[in-house]
Amino acid sequence: ETCTTAKIDRKIALGAAGMFLISMVTYVSTTFPSIAGGDATELSFIACGPGTAHPPGYPLWTMITAAAVRILPFGTPAYRTNLCAGFFASLANAVLFLYVERITGNIQAAFFTAGGWAFGKLVWLYSIQAEV
């Protein structure tokens, strides 16, 4: 079975969506309301206007956060860029869930693996501030 013809079972899809939502709610509730320091300052600043961050410049991150800063109607620009980090980390957590479930065939293993990853100290820290 190729990747293009693979079908996702409803329970598996709900598990991935649950992993996304649990991690996203946790990240949003613990995200920095403003600048966290380090590269977050520069990345939040670049999202507000023209320019590039230090090399390699992170062009995709810059374009997405620039759009988020302009579209999201709440919070400071720094908070909005911090939310982008949480969104993409939550998306990665859901993909990890799908990957582990596909390899092991075990939803519980996928949930605990993705959950352990999502709420590990460093992943959590970089998911609540504008870091790449």
Side-chain angles (χ1 to χ4, degrees), residues 12-109:
I12 297 167
L14 287 173
M19 179 52 61
F20 175 86
L21 289 174
I22 290 168
S23 58
M24 188 65 191
V25 166
T26 304
Y27 294 156
V28 167
S29 65
T30 59
T31 196
F32 287 98
S34 187
I35 300 297
D39 288 346
T41 306
E42 180 183 11
L43 294 169
S44 295
F45 177 77
I46 293 301
C48 293
T52 56
H54 62 280
Y58 312 107
L60 182 60
W61 171 259
T62 302
M63 289 186 291
I64 292 170
T65 55
V69 164
R70 288 161 180 75
I71 292 171
L72 294 176
F74 53 84
T76 64
Y79 181 71
R80 295 176 211 165
T81 57
N82 293 341
L83 288 179
C84 284
F87 174 80
F88 287 113
S90 297
L91 195 60
N93 298 336
V95 170
L96 178 61
F97 174 92
L98 292 172
Y99 179 74
V100 172
E101 194 287 326
R102 175 95 174 180
I103 288 176
T104 65
N106 187 323
I107 291 177
Q108 289 83 12

